[in-house]
Amino acid sequence: MKCWDPRIEEMPKEELQQMQYRLLKSLVYRLYSFSPFYHDRMKEQNVHPDDIRTLPDVKKLPFMFKRDLRDNYPDKIFTATKDDLVRYHVSSGTTGKPTVVGYTQNDLDNWTASLARALTSLGLGRGDVIQVSYGYGLFTGGLGLHYGAERIGATVLPTSVGNTERQIELMQDLGATAIACTPSYLLHIGEVAEKMGVDIQKDTKLRTGILGAEPWTERMRIRMEKWLGIKAYDIYGTSELSGPMFTECTEQKGFHVWSDIALVEIIDPKSGEQVDSGEKGELTMTILQKEALPMIRFRIGDITTVNEEVCACGRTHPRVDRIQGRVDDMLIIRGINVFPSQVEFALMTIPEVGQHFQIVVDRKGALDDMLVRVELNKESFSDKITDLMLVRQKIEHKVRNSLNVNATVELVEPGSLPRYEGKSKRVVDRRSL
Amino acid sequence: MDVKKYVIKQISVFSENRPGRLAAIAHALGEEKVNILAFSIAEANGFGVVRALVDQPERAYKKLSSIGFNVAFTDVIAVHMQDRPGGLYEIAKILGDANINIEYSYAYSGKEGAVLILRVDQVVDAIEKISKTGATLIESSVFH
């Protein structure tokens, strides 16, 4: 099958834009009437739904940021009643409080439809066995891909993350043809397979990788495709948008963002203005049909460009290029978003920890490794090694519990970490992708 | 008996486990003309604690703190051992029988014989038990 929903996917651009305008208009009216949050925001911005008369008028609307979700924890921005919610996902916030995303049945259906189109555009369908090696649970990756793959009639192998040797055995025994996971996890699987004497190219049926949740490069794509004998495709999404939603098609020229699902803008992060066509800027999305947690002009923080040209595959929807960086200091470690401010927040609750810390991110083999170097408080120094080891353990637990990422903690001498005037650079990222 | 005179101030210094750290500590003490009489290093994964008996503990403490080290004083005791097989056993047995726990210990064998330095959980008890058995405790004035 070429397209999951050809009527929409190949709809002429003009018609798509008319549809987007209608969806935007009704979204704005609905939120102005029923969402205190958006009502106040629009009032502050001095914009009324009647002012939205064309699609480009979207730029009159206020932005939304991740901090708005934190400030309205857990569900103050939700516009669906508790009875209409059918699921929660939770991701890490920028500080101590996580971000909660709620879904109505329609929200889940739209998310699943988006992925059904995306997976079909990779040539997947009935008869394929899709191994979902994203985490299942509060993280959106596992369940998102799971329902998307089931929708297109593929067989899901829900392995989640971890227990890599077993994953490889099942991949062989059940004939997985595609795998969805982080690119670094696929590299890890490749390495473990080699150690087990399994040649992914010859000994498995794997031919497609659906890789995302962390940044990767063309260099990694070439390496994985050659080494593992697969086609490696980029998948994109964030929990605020629903989860992983969009992928490249077989052309591998940017991920298609379905226009009936999201309205894309590229914003200059400094001025807040739209950049010129084709220029680099901050990816900003309005999710046009979301019911539980609406998103108008959500500033995602990822830097990229958008391409409005019709794709060689025939799909008319805009394509967003590979993510090239972040506007903030967010790190992605093993697919999990980590803000240095969260680490700071966690550390400051521990009295034995001094004022200074440093995060060192590296790749050990294929996997990310986070090291938190901490200066011990002078008063907390104990002559006993066991006391010091307990302090270290306590910090490791605290970091793991608040970030959902394992970190190694290193206690360092006071004064040994670099001091900065003004904004400190607390992150050393040694990964080269 | 005056147990206090047997309580010795050991300095303990937090150190990262990497080349040059002991040299940095030793250099600083040398500059201050502080003599190290005995020392040991305890190490855990990535860091360690350097423990030393010095002739001028206050001076050592001040100097090391001023250059950024985490330093603490810890009370230890020192006991003469017989420098022959079974010498260590005699001292260790006294403490074991008295149910006093040795947290850590190190020894040196110098001109005046072998000396065992002990960090125990009950310092006063240990001093009393050891002196009752006739073993010789070394007064802190011998060190500083």
Side-chain angles (χ1 to χ4, degrees):
Chain A
M1 194 192 304
K2 190 179 165 247
C3 286
W4 176 254
D5 189 346
R7 188 185 63 86
I8 298 255
E9 291 175 54
E10 296 174 340
M11 186 180 275
K13 266 213 174 312
E14 262 173 48
E15 281 177 52
L16 270 183
Q17 283 163 2
Q18 283 164 16
M19 179 169 62
Q20 283 192 305
Y21 170 64
R22 283 195 306 274
L23 289 168
L24 178 69
K25 188 93 178 166
S26 65
L27 175 72
V28 172
Y29 272 113
R30 180 167 71 84
L31 295 183
Y32 191 80
S33 313
F34 297 115
S35 160
F37 173 82
Y38 279 108
H39 183 91
D40 291 350
R41 280 290 165 94
M42 285 188 232
K43 283 255 171 178
E44 278 165 31
Q45 190 93 347
N46 207 13
V47 55
H48 185 272
D50 289 343
D51 299 330
I52 309 300
R53 290 156 205 251
T54 63
L55 192 55
D57 283 340
V58 69
K59 62 175 179 283
K60 296 178 182 170
L61 292 167
F63 289 117
M64 184 176 184
F65 296 89
K66 194 167 169 90
R67 62 171 177 268
D68 292 319
L69 295 170
R70 176 194 65 201
D71 295 345
N72 292 282
Y73 178 86
D75 57 2
K76 292 198 197 83
I77 306 181
F78 286 18
T79 50
T81 63
K82 280 233 153 64
D83 283 355
D84 287 330
L85 291 180
V86 295
R87 196 192 295 171
Y88 289 119
H89 279 289
V90 180
S91 71
S92 53
T94 47
T95 57
K97 286 256 182 276
T99 300
V100 179
V101 180
Y103 303 75
T104 64
Q105 188 57 52
N106 282 335
D107 291 339
L108 291 183
D109 288 345
N110 281 325
W111 180 14
T112 302
S114 178
L115 278 174
R117 293 180 202 167
L119 296 175
T120 304
S121 81
L122 303 180
L124 298 170
R126 288 173 66 86
D128 276 298
V129 177
I130 303 181
Q131 183 164 347
V132 179
S133 303
Y134 280 119
Y136 278 67
L138 291 174
F139 178 60
T140 53
L143 287 169
L145 263 300
H146 183 98
Y147 287 103
E150 280 189 352
R151 179 68 59 90
I152 61 168
T155 312
V156 176
L157 177 55
T159 46
S160 196
V161 277
N163 206 344
T164 308
E165 296 193 2
R166 188 175 157 80
Q167 297 233 6
I168 294 162
E169 281 166 22
L170 291 172
M171 179 190 288
Q172 282 186 286
D173 296 347
L174 298 173
T177 56
I179 186 165
C181 60
T182 61
S184 56
Y185 192 59
L186 185 58
L187 284 172
H188 182 66
I189 286 178
E191 286 172 2
V192 174
E194 274 188 354
K195 275 187 205 142
M196 292 165 68
V198 175
D199 182 340
I200 300 269
Q201 284 206 37
K202 293 199 190 103
D203 303 336
T204 76
K205 293 196 173 128
L206 200 69
R207 57 179 168 83
T208 305
I210 307 153
L211 310 175
E214 65 186 20
W216 55 303
T217 57
E218 280 305 308
R219 213 174 61 119
M220 282 171 77
R221 161 140 56 203
I222 293 162
R223 186 176 152 214
M224 278 188 281
E225 291 193 339
K226 260 178 120 171
W227 179 37
L228 304 173
I230 59 164
K231 284 298 218 178
Y233 298 106
D234 201 5
I235 181 166
Y236 184 80
T238 75
S239 65
E240 294 86 358
L241 310 180
S242 279
M245 287 206 112
F246 311 113
T247 68
E248 302 171 309
C249 63
T250 47
E251 296 292 322
Q252 297 181 318
K253 295 260 171 65
F255 50 86
H256 287 273
V257 177
W258 314 117
S259 296
D260 55 325
I261 293 200
L263 175 60
V264 175
E265 295 172 84
I266 303 291
I267 299 294
D268 177 340
K270 288 209 179 90
S271 69
E273 302 288 329
Q274 289 179 354
V275 300
D276 291 337
S277 171
E279 293 287 302
K280 207 155 74 167
E282 181 178 359
L283 184 59
T284 300
M285 283 196 194
T286 300
I287 307 296
L288 292 165
Q289 302 186 52
K290 229 158 168 257
E291 293 179 340
L293 180 55
M295 292 279 162
I296 286 186
R297 305 192 86 196
F298 181 62
R299 299 274 290 264
I300 301 173
D302 287 328
I303 304 276
T304 185
T305 57
V306 67
N307 181 353
E308 293 284 352
E309 279 171 38
V310 175
C311 183
C313 73
R315 291 178 180 82
T316 48
H317 301 239
R319 278 167 292 156
V320 173
D321 199 14
R322 245 182 215 298
I323 303 307
Q324 298 167 24
R326 290 283 305 175
V327 296
D328 54 22
D329 53 4
M330 189 181 89
L331 295 162
I332 301 178
I333 294 166
R334 298 190 178 200
I336 306 286
N337 297 349
V338 173
F339 289 91
S341 54
Q342 285 175 284
V343 178
E344 178 167 13
F345 192 86
L347 293 177
M348 291 314 141
T349 59
I350 302 172
E352 289 89 346
V353 170
Q355 291 298 309
H356 296 273
F357 71 94
Q358 185 183 46
I359 300 168
V360 182
V361 195
D362 210 339
R363 278 249 151 120
K364 291 237 169 95
L367 294 177
D368 295 333
D369 184 74
M370 180 164 87
L371 173 72
V372 181
R373 310 181 74 216
V374 174
E375 285 186 12
L376 206 61
N377 202 331
K378 280 213 170 217
E379 290 70 47
S380 316
F381 170 55
S382 160
D383 165 63
K384 275 168 79 176
I385 290 279
T386 43
D387 287 354
L388 293 170
M389 285 172 77
L390 278 177
V391 169
R392 186 169 63 188
Q393 226 172 58
K394 186 164 141 187
I395 302 171
E396 280 177 352
H397 283 167
K398 183 76 201 178
V399 170
R400 188 185 317 138
N401 286 342
S402 42
L403 306 182
N404 273 322
V405 172
N406 279 328
T408 312
V409 169
E410 193 176 286
L411 300 179
V412 302
E413 291 167 17
S416 65
L417 294 177
R419 264 58 171 169
Y420 296 98
E421 283 176 26
K423 200 172 155 55
S424 62
K425 279 190 209 141
R426 289 182 149 166
V427 179
V428 179
D429 199 337
R430 296 196 183 127
R431 294 174 292 187
S432 57
L433 302 179
Chain B
M1 81 184 265
D2 180 14
V3 295
K4 269 197 197 140
K5 65 182 180 186
Y6 297 112
V7 178
I8 300 159
K9 259 187 189 173
Q10 170 198 261
I11 58 161
S12 306
V13 189
F14 179 82
S15 168
E16 286 167 42
N17 196 351
R18 59 185 167 86
R21 300 319 293 151
L22 180 60
I25 295 168
H27 181 248
L29 294 181
E31 266 189 343
E32 285 297 294
K33 308 261 182 286
V34 172
N35 192 27
I36 303 169
L37 304 157
F39 88 99
S40 83
I41 300 175
E43 62 100 24
N45 189 9
F47 65 86
V49 176
V50 176
R51 299 165 178 147
L53 292 190
V54 297
D55 58 352
Q56 303 168 81
E58 297 289 350
R59 202 175 164 90
Y61 183 99
K62 248 178 137 174
K63 173 67 180 178
L64 292 170
S65 301
S66 77
I67 55 172
F69 279 102
N70 257 345
V71 194
F73 284 131
T74 316
D75 291 341
V76 296
I77 54 176
V79 192
H80 263 302
M81 276 189 296
Q82 297 301 319
D83 198 354
R84 56 163 169 75
L88 174 61
Y89 168 69
E90 284 158 17
I91 309 295
K93 186 175 187 307
I94 297 167
L95 296 171
D97 289 348
N99 208 22
I100 293 167
N101 190 40
I102 301 172
E103 287 174 2
Y104 57 79
S105 167
Y106 48 103
Y108 70 89
S109 186
K111 280 172 276 183
E112 311 85 28
V115 176
L116 184 67
I117 295 149
L118 293 156
R119 164 71 186 168
V120 293
D121 55 354
Q122 307 153 57
V123 177
V124 175
D125 258 19
I127 290 171
E128 282 168 355
K129 291 273 158 47
I130 291 168
S131 36
K132 255 188 220 157
T133 60
T136 317
L137 282 153
I138 301 172
E139 289 182 23
S140 62
S141 59
V142 172
F143 296 97
H144 34 259

